[in-house]
Amino acid sequence: ETQKLYGHGYELYCVSASTDGKLIASACKASKPEHAAIRVWDTATWHQVSLLVHHSLTVTQLAFSHDGSKLLAVSRDRCWSLWNRNQDDKEKDLFTLIAQMDKTTKAHTRIIWSCSWSPDDRCFATASRDKR
């Protein structure tokens, strides 16, 4: 054990490390939007550097792209979110929401449990038990 991550309201549910090893994203169990936020940590200082708010229920999996420029999140709320890692240190926020799916698109009708990037980072896949 190197470091404990404090700040979530409940026990951690998922974590993902960036490929350069500089960042770790984490999310905890959540039944309300205020607990469903993704926290991003700087591994040099172990300080929280971003709070990504979008989902309303537990984020079930996080995945950094292979090049480390994007973070994908999927959730029990049947939505996914895609975050861009800003390269400019002067940016107010380290990540910006660049794409999202909501329940009205009906891409998934049940909890999204998993996600993964293609080897070239050009696309990603999500998985649910809804047979879609």
Side-chain angles (χ1 to χ4, degrees), residues 1-12:
E1 181 176 299
T2 301
Q3 183 68 32
K4 292 185 180 183
L5 304 176
Y6 294 103
H8 289 287
Y10 295 97
E11 65 268 20
L12 288 185

Side-chain angles (χ1 to χ4, degrees), residues 9-93:
Y10 295 97
E11 65 268 20
L12 288 185
Y13 197 86
C14 61
V15 296
S16 181
S18 62
T19 54
D20 62 9
K22 293 181 179 180
L23 299 175
I24 289 182
S26 62
C28 73
K29 286 189 175 183
S31 58
K32 297 178 183 176
E34 57 264 26
H35 297 294
I38 301 161
R39 296 178 186 273
V40 182
W41 311 86
D42 180 330
T43 60
T45 64
W46 294 107
H47 290 130
Q48 181 181 312
V49 292
S50 283
L51 184 67
L52 311 180
V53 178
H54 176 71
H55 294 282
S56 60
L57 295 171
T58 303
V59 172
T60 54
Q61 188 169 11
L62 297 161
F64 278 97
S65 57
H66 297 97
D67 66 5
S69 67
K70 294 179 179 51
L71 176 63
L72 175 61
V74 295
S75 173
R76 284 184 53 221
D77 63 10
R78 301 176 303 197
C79 300
W80 56 259
S81 60
L82 183 60
W83 303 83
N84 190 60
R85 183 175 173 181
N86 299 317
Q87 298 302 318
D88 186 357
D89 292 337
K90 295 179 179 84
E91 289 282 336
K92 178 184 171 194
D93 296 315

Side-chain angles (χ1 to χ4, degrees), residues 99-118:
Q100 61 188 327
M101 186 212 58
D102 60 36
K103 289 179 271 200
T104 60
T105 62
K106 303 281 188 205
H108 284 293
T109 57
R110 295 185 69 185
I111 296 168
I112 305 174
W113 288 109
S114 185
C115 60
S116 184
W117 286 94
S118 64

